[in-house]
Amino acid sequence: MRNLVKLMALLSGIIVFSPVYSDDDILSVDKVSSAIVESAKSSLLGKKGKFPFKTADGTEITNISYSSNNILFEFKIPSDSQTILAQYLTEDLRIRFNQEFCHNENLINVLNHYDIRFLFHFEYTDHRIVPAILSMNEICP
């Protein structure tokens, strides 16, 4: 999961949306979520890249998508679900998101205003898919 630092860095593109949050000009949550996903994909894959994106440790990011205020990251974990627990993966992501987001009050305000949540699907080699979710309240307590 060390190489997921790149994933966290790409999400810093969300900072672009900080000026979007104003009382007189509010975008729809779908437009904000869509823009976040497109920025994440572009940062991770480049302009012509395609999923899956494989990290050095064998973890694959198979897709990034959204539904309303939920940003979904789909991972294939190169281990079974008993060896690397989803709670450890989620905690690692929470720490990385905290480092990327929590120093920027405008960004936190945008994500809280649109109630953006980060969903994760971890698919293991034993074919178990374990979901996890992080909200901004959990990322930046």
Side-chain angles (χ1 to χ4, degrees):
M1 296 298 290
R2 291 180 74 210
N3 289 327
L4 291 180
V5 172
K6 186 173 182 179
L7 174 63
M8 300 313 110
L10 67 91
L11 290 175
S12 63
I14 298 170
I15 293 171
V16 171
F17 300 101
S18 296
V20 167
Y21 177 70
S22 69
D23 291 333
D24 46 339
D25 185 31
I26 297 180
L27 293 175
S28 75
V29 68
D30 284 336
K31 288 183 181 180
V32 172
S33 294
S34 174
I36 291 169
V37 166
E38 291 308 312
S39 175
K41 286 180 177 180
S42 177
S43 296
L44 184 64
L45 302 171
K47 293 188 187 237
K48 296 184 180 183
K50 295 186 182 198
F51 286 112
F53 177 83
K54 194 168 190 171
T55 65
D57 66 359
T59 300
E60 290 183 11
I61 303 169
T62 59
N63 198 17
I64 304 171
S65 60
Y66 78 95
S67 175
S68 185
N69 63 329
N70 298 307
I71 308 295
L72 174 63
F73 294 88
E74 298 177 60
F75 294 92
K76 280 193 177 182
I77 307 300
S79 178
D80 65 73
S81 60
Q82 299 304 309
T83 302
I84 301 176
L85 299 177
Q87 67 192 37
Y88 297 131
L89 298 172
T90 304
E91 180 59 16
D92 184 57
L93 289 166
R94 188 198 66 75
I95 290 168
R96 293 173 194 275
F97 276 41
N98 178 287
Q99 293 168 348
E100 287 294 322
F101 299 155
C102 296
H103 66 279
N104 186 324
E105 189 175 325
N106 288 334
L107 174 61
I108 293 169
N109 288 339
V110 169
L111 294 173
N112 279 330
H113 175 78
Y114 290 102
D115 193 25
I116 303 292
R117 295 186 182 130
F118 300 95
L119 305 172
F120 308 99
H121 284 177
F122 302 112
E123 182 178 344
Y124 291 92
T125 57
D126 57 5
H127 304 291
R128 287 192 65 212
I129 297 176
V130 180
I133 186 169
L134 288 173
S135 68
M136 284 311 295
N137 292 334
E138 294 166 309
I139 296 169
C140 302

